[in-house]
Amino acid sequence: MPFDVRDFPGAPPEDRAAGYRGRRLVAVWLFGVAFMVLVMIVLGGVTRLTGSGLSIMEWDPFSGALPPMSRAEWQRLYQLYQQIPQYALVNQGFGLAGFKQIFWLEWSHRLWGRLIGLAFLGPLIWFWATGRVERRLRPWLVLLFVLGGLQGAVGWFMVASGFFPDTTAVSPYRLVIHLALALVLYVALLWTGLTVLRPTPSGSSAGRLLHRLAWLCCGLVGVTMLAGGFVAGTHAGFSYNTFPLMEGQLVPSAYDQLQPFWRNLTENLAAVQFDHRLLATLSVLATACTLVVAFASRPPSAVRLAALALGCVALVQYLLGVATLLSVVQIDLAVLHQTVAALLLTSAIVLLHTTRPARTVPRR
């Protein structure tokens, strides 16, 4: 990892002092911001499930932090919303009260993003000024702040796609880009916090094997979540609401109905849902293998605990996915499914970090 920065034996004295004095405080800060990003991902899922994401027609990074303060302002925003296809095709006539319900969800989502920026920048300035962040970590943290700001622009880029003629939802491609960047930010914050807290790897031969399996689990879980983004973006979860078969077949007959073939992977409801199911199943199998190896090879207790947590969360997530499908995407189940997906990714990252192999510090 490019931000695995804590080589205390070879670091300058001032960096070692900064690490020993402040690394726990810095780690708590990073974990707190990571948690806020996780909440942001869940809030984004709620806005999508309730169709609230298109309720705010303007992107005002600063003045938009304040909600409407007068009835005239509410009416102005409602009139703007009445101009987009979602209102005419889905919500026509639901009145100002109905508009307020979807508005508050989207406004809260955007406000939370602004709060994340403040929660990151304020402490960063203080930690930097007091020498609690070592020099090699500073450029990485600045990059994370820039990426966080970029996420806001990408979010608006996604929302704007829902204003096109005859469109009632955002582009699935832009939705997945927005989700992917959020996951990158979350993983980067989590990994950096873990590295600051435990800078010295303690891998073993068994740990190296588990480390490879942890990489596999992280990859599968990440790809499965992005595939879930296409399920959400195309509303594929409202079709083929049976399990384990789809219309009585393991592989639906409509899997390859679009040409060229690659379009099926992102636009064909049958293929999009089948791929998500397949990736989820492979993720569970990978976590099961990881759990078996963890207990058979007798690694340190921290590794076994991380592997056990990964296996348990994977099982719960798989069952939630099935329940969400069979319920025809009941909102509370769908939100819980998205939340546990983030926790599953967290478990995989923790295992990956716990099993990372020790690095040899060159002698001077």
Side-chain angles (χ1 to χ4, degrees), residues 16-205:
R16 294 202 301 272
Y20 287 124
R21 287 196 305 268
R23 68 175 184 268
R24 286 184 176 83
L25 190 58
V26 172
V28 169
W29 162 59
L30 290 170
F31 291 148
V33 177
F35 176 76
M36 292 183 72
V37 173
L38 188 150
V39 173
M40 185 73 167
I41 293 172
V42 174
L43 279 175
V46 174
T47 59
R48 180 194 56 78
L49 288 165
T50 57
S52 305
L54 302 181
S55 58
I56 302 180
M57 298 281 298
E58 300 170 326
W59 187 44
D60 296 315
F62 300 104
S63 61
L66 297 175
M69 297 296 187
S70 65
R71 183 173 180 82
E73 181 64 8
W74 275 114
Q75 288 290 351
R76 185 185 74 83
L77 293 173
Y78 183 36
Q79 289 172 2
L80 284 176
Y81 178 70
Q82 289 176 308
Q83 297 173 14
I84 68 172
Q86 187 188 70
Y87 173 79
L89 300 176
V90 178
N91 292 325
Q92 188 172 27
F94 75 163
L96 184 59
F99 172 71
K100 287 183 178 181
Q101 290 182 357
I102 63 173
F103 175 91
W104 282 121
L105 278 172
E106 175 63 11
W107 182 83
S108 299
H109 181 59
R110 297 190 187 191
L111 177 65
W112 193 254
R114 294 180 174 95
L115 293 177
I116 292 175
L118 293 175
F120 189 88
L121 182 60
L124 174 61
I125 294 173
W126 184 74
F127 286 134
W128 194 313
T130 56
R132 286 177 169 82
V133 176
E134 75 162 312
R135 289 177 300 175
R136 288 178 293 177
L137 187 59
R138 293 170 186 174
W140 173 250
L141 293 177
V142 171
L143 177 61
L144 289 184
F145 180 73
V146 172
L147 289 177
L150 178 63
Q151 175 70 330
V154 172
W156 177 250
F157 173 71
M158 176 193 69
V159 169
S161 67
F163 302 150
F164 297 152
D166 300 323
T167 300
T168 61
V170 300
S171 163
Y173 296 99
R174 299 190 188 189
L175 171 66
V176 171
I177 292 172
H178 190 47
L179 173 62
L181 183 54
L183 295 178
V184 167
L185 284 169
Y186 177 69
V187 169
L189 287 164
L190 179 61
W191 184 276
T192 306
L194 290 169
T195 302
V196 169
L197 187 63
R198 298 187 181 277
T200 305
S202 57
S204 61
S205 58

Side-chain angles (χ1 to χ4, degrees), residues 236-307:
F238 292 95
S239 305
Y240 304 98
N241 299 102
T242 57
F243 187 84
L245 302 180
M246 300 174 66
E247 288 192 339
Q249 298 177 306
L250 184 61
V251 180
S253 58
Y255 184 92
D256 58 350
Q257 66 180 2
L258 298 182
Q259 296 297 329
F261 177 79
W262 65 265
R263 290 182 55 206
N264 292 283
L265 305 180
T266 56
E267 300 176 23
N268 180 355
L269 301 188
V272 167
Q273 190 189 128
F274 176 82
D275 292 343
H276 186 55
R277 292 187 185 200
L278 177 61
L279 288 167
T281 302
L282 292 176
S283 297
V284 169
L285 292 176
T287 57
C289 291
T290 303
L291 189 59
V292 170
V293 171
F295 280 84
S297 57
R298 298 182 181 277
S301 58
V303 174
R304 293 199 303 272
L305 182 61

